[in-house]
């Protein structure tokens, strides 16, 4: 079993839709991933749609907010990966080690192109059919999170369920 040496983090750069962020918050709570939100946000943290999508999992969430990307990069260190439809490398072609930060952009524009140009070797794509613009943000995050956890062999996770006797 590989040794898990770090922590998983999700970074949302200027998310716009509260329901997506709420769904992502629930994924983070269920997987122990930290959630980092880069302002400006398209909603208030107290937004009822955000809270509703996250259900009753907010108490399990490690949540951080930042004024901008510069603020984030000043306060965090680790392995950064940038998920984008513009990536040349598939998300499964990377070994995720250490403190891993998975970046996702706003729903309407994705990540800033200058950020991607500065990190081309870490710009990753989720494979899709041609002529499809993109996947839903919360679905993309879930796919990426579970690839990292798969590589970490789901260390510390309940991997088997059970059916009660009838």
């Amino acid at each position: 079993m590989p040794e898990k040496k770090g922590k998983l983090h999700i970074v949302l750069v200027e998310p716009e839709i509260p329901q997506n962020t709420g769904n992502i918050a629930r994924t983070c709570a269920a997987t122990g991933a930290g959630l980092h939100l880069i302002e400006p946000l398209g909603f208030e943290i107290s937004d009822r749609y955000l809270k509703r999508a996250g259900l009753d999992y907010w108490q399990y969430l490690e949540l951080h907010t930042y004024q901008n990307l510069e603020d984030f990069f000043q306060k965090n260190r680790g392995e950064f990966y940038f998920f984008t439809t513009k990536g040349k490398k598939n998300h499964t072609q990377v070994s995720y080690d250490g403190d891993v930060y998975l970046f996702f952009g706003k729903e309407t524009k994705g990540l800033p192109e200058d950020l991607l140009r500065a990190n081309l070797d870490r710009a990753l794509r989720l494979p899709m059919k041609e002529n499809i613009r993109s996947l839903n943000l919360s679905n993309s995050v879930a796919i990426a999170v579970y690839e990292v956890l798969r590589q970490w062999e789901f260390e510390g996770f309940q991997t088997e369920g059970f059916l009660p006797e009838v």
Side-chain angles (χ1 to χ4, degrees):
M1 176 182 283
E3 184 180 332
K4 181 180 153 191
K5 299 176 184 169
K7 179 168 173 54
L8 179 58
H9 302 269
I10 302 305
V11 182
L12 302 182
V13 179
E14 302 179 8
E16 300 168 311
I17 301 173
Q19 294 91 332
N20 279 336
T21 301
N23 288 336
I24 292 164
R26 185 174 179 179
T27 297
C28 289
T31 60
L35 178 59
H36 303 259
L37 302 178
I38 311 297
E39 297 176 351
L41 308 178
F43 50 84
E44 297 292 325
I45 294 292
S46 61
D47 189 295
R48 68 183 175 104
Y49 296 110
L50 175 75
K51 298 293 186 186
R52 186 177 192 192
L55 296 174
D56 57 348
Y57 292 90
W58 290 100
Q59 63 187 342
Y60 303 109
L61 181 65
E62 176 191 322
L63 179 64
H64 308 272
T65 59
Y66 305 88
Q67 294 178 355
N68 52 43
L69 276 169
E70 184 179 323
D71 183 27
F72 171 85
F73 285 119
Q74 286 176 355
K75 295 175 179 171
N76 296 282
R77 298 285 178 264
E79 297 296 317
F80 301 140
Y81 298 96
F82 304 88
F83 282 75
T84 174
T85 58
K86 299 169 180 85
K88 300 282 187 206
K89 195 182 299 184
N90 184 317
H91 74 293
T92 61
Q93 295 174 308
V94 173
S95 291
Y96 300 97
D97 297 309
D99 287 337
V100 173
Y101 292 82
L102 308 180
F103 284 73
F104 298 85
K106 64 172 79 177
E107 289 89 341
T108 57
K109 294 184 180 180
L111 290 168
E113 289 188 356
D114 58 335
L115 180 66
L116 294 175
R117 282 189 188 93
N119 295 283
L120 284 176
D121 60 326
R122 292 182 174 257
L124 306 178
R125 178 179 172 81
L126 298 175
M128 306 177 253
K129 295 272 192 179
E130 287 186 45
N131 303 318
I132 301 298
R133 192 171 60 243
S134 65
L135 291 167
N136 172 274
L137 179 61
S138 62
N139 292 338
S140 297
V141 169
I143 291 167
V145 163
Y146 274 88
E147 173 57 21
V148 173
L149 296 178
R150 183 194 68 80
Q151 288 188 19
W152 290 353
E153 295 186 0
F154 301 103
E155 182 181 325
F157 285 80
Q158 179 181 342
T159 58
E160 293 183 18
F162 68 95
L163 285 172
E165 297 289 325
V166 253

